[in-house]
């Protein structure tokens, strides 16, 4: 069976305010011993400023570990979790990044499906599907167009618009090879988005095998009107432009076309 590490970051005052934590806490506490799943939560607090990041267990749940830090950007948080995770859990096979607003209905089912897929397909990177809570509707417009069933398929850089940050699965070889998020990208950074696009394109450019698994499902709450304002969307757009420019030398015409598209 695989050894899965779930990585999550949150700035919520109490962990219980997080959808992700609430969907995982009890299932992980009562997990059958044959399931090798751990959750590491980067709990960011302004009061931790200038303090050394510390690990500690969450209450009586031995499958949840807390890493307390000051407020940091999304990419920096994910990089810290990846770097600390590979040290703290050296036998881990896969690392799965999630945001604190998503829900996993059945982590045991998710784990068993990922274990099955890992035996059937050779991949270093994969993406799960994000659906709107209570529906079978994909969160991504691109996914709604491209994904018609649950059959896994290989993905390449031309498929980069399918990739969303809260559903990324990294095999240990990528982490050991020091693949990390660009800390100039992502929430809280100069360019507010496309950190997941950038790392996926980098992985593709290094010829690692990548897969998309529609049968691995996580859920996002319904988006309400005004949730994403103009300033946020403009920042996301700047991030995408920065990403294409960064990779331009790898395939000039592909990224130029992507930029204008």
């Amino acid at each position: 069976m695989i050894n899965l590490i779930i990585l999550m970051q949150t700035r919520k005052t109490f962990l219980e305010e997080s959808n992700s934590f609430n969907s995982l806490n009890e299932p992980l506490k009562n997990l059958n011993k044959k399931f090798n799943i751990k959750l590491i939560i980067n709990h960011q607090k302004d009061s931790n400023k200038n303090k050394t990041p510390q690990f500690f267990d969450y209450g009586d749940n031995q499958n949840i570990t807390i890493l307390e830090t000051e407020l940091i950007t999304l990419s920096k948080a994910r990089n810290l979790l990846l770097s600390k995770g590979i040290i703290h859990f050296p036998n881990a096979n896969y690392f799965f990044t999630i945001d604190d607003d998503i829900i996993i209905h059945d982590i045991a089912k998710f784990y068993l499906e990922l274990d099955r897929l890992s035996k059937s397909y050779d991949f270093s990177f994969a993406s799960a599907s994000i659906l709107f809570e209570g529906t079978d509707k994909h969160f991504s417009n691109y996914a709604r167009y491209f994904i018609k069933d649950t059959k896994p398929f290989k993905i390449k850089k031309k498929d980069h618009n399918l990739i969303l940050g809260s559903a990324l699965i990294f095999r240990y070889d990528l982490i050991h090879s020091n693949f990390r998020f660009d800390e100039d990208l992502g929430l809280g950074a100069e360019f507010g988005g496309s950190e997941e696009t950038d790392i996926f394109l980098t992985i593709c450019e290094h010829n690692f095998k990548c897969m998309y698994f529609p049968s691995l499902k996580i859920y996002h709450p319904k988006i309400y009107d005004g949730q994403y304002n103009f300033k946020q969307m403009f920042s996301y757009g700047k991030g995408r432009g920065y990403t294409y420019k960064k990779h331009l030398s790898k395939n000039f015409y592909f990224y130029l076309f992507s930029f204008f598209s």
Side-chain angles (χ1 to χ4, degrees):
M1 302 288 280
I2 62 171
N3 193 325
L4 175 65
I5 308 298
I6 304 171
L7 307 174
M8 169 195 141
Q9 66 288 322
T10 186
R11 293 186 174 187
K12 296 187 182 299
T13 303
F14 303 103
L15 295 177
E16 293 76 12
E17 297 174 335
S18 160
N19 288 337
S20 300
F21 176 82
N22 286 327
S23 73
L24 290 170
N25 182 25
E26 286 300 320
L28 289 180
K29 184 187 294 184
N30 301 314
L31 208 59
N32 187 300
K33 290 183 179 180
K34 72 176 182 179
F35 293 93
N36 302 309
I37 312 173
K38 303 288 184 184
L39 170 64
I40 309 177
I41 303 173
N42 170 218
H43 195 189
Q44 301 178 19
K45 300 178 182 178
D46 193 44
S47 58
N48 288 328
K49 193 172 184 179
N50 299 321
K51 292 182 181 179
T52 302
Q54 296 183 46
F55 273 116
F56 62 90
D57 292 332
Y58 176 76
D60 61 346
N61 194 335
Q62 62 182 355
N63 292 316
I64 297 181
T65 300
I66 310 298
L67 177 61
E68 285 197 337
T69 69
E70 62 183 315
L71 303 182
I72 56 179
T73 64
L74 176 61
S75 289
K76 189 173 182 178
R78 286 185 172 152
N79 287 342
L80 181 65
L81 286 166
L82 288 168
S83 297
K84 294 287 187 181
I86 202 72
I87 295 171
H88 205 68
F89 300 101
N91 296 321
N93 303 108
Y94 295 96
F95 295 82
F96 179 39
T97 65
I98 62 172
D99 290 332
D100 65 356
D101 56 352
I102 68 93
I103 296 167
I104 301 177
H105 286 310
D106 190 335
I107 188 57
K109 181 179 178 181
F110 185 98
Y111 173 85
L112 289 172
E113 178 64 2
L114 179 57
D115 184 68
R116 183 188 71 81
L117 291 165
S118 72
K119 293 178 173 65
S120 302
Y121 299 91
D122 178 25
F123 63 94
S124 294
F125 171 90
S127 175
S129 284
I130 305 179
L131 309 176
F132 279 112
E133 175 66 7
T135 74
D136 289 322
K137 183 180 180 181
H138 287 275
F139 182 79
S140 162
N141 287 325
Y142 296 98
R144 289 173 215 163
Y145 178 79
F146 283 104
I147 301 171
K148 304 303 180 183
D149 52 42
T150 60
K151 185 178 179 180
F153 57 93
K154 293 180 182 179
I155 47 176
K156 298 182 178 181
K157 62 184 179 183
K158 66 179 178 61
D159 305 307
H160 62 277
N161 287 314
L162 283 173
I163 305 302
L164 298 173
S166 191
L168 308 184
I169 300 166
F170 300 90
R171 199 171 64 183
Y172 68 92
D173 55 324
L174 287 178
I175 311 308
H176 281 296
S177 297
N178 209 34
F179 282 87
R180 298 293 187 271
F181 292 92
D182 184 334
E183 294 185 6
D184 287 330
L185 290 164
L187 190 65
E190 180 179 358
F191 304 102
S194 288
E195 75 286 349
E196 71 275 48
T197 307
D198 172 68
I199 197 170
F200 171 67
L201 292 173
T202 303
I203 291 167
C204 289
E205 288 162 357
H206 283 80
N207 298 316
F208 285 91
K209 295 178 180 178
C210 305
M211 296 291 299
Y212 196 101
F213 294 131
S215 59
L216 291 176
K217 299 176 181 179
I218 63 176
Y219 295 85
H220 191 287
K222 183 180 179 181
I223 295 176
Y224 56 84
D225 290 341
Q227 183 170 347
Y228 296 103
N229 59 38
F230 175 80
K231 184 177 180 180
Q232 288 173 298
M233 298 306 294
F234 185 73
S235 182
Y236 295 157
K238 284 175 61 181
R240 184 54 63 96
Y242 166 93
T243 299
Y244 289 149
K245 182 180 178 182
K246 175 181 174 181
H247 291 265
L248 204 59
S249 64
K250 302 296 183 181
N251 188 328
F252 181 83
Y253 292 108
F254 172 80
Y255 289 113
L256 188 66
F257 175 79
S258 297
F259 178 83
F260 284 107
S261 295

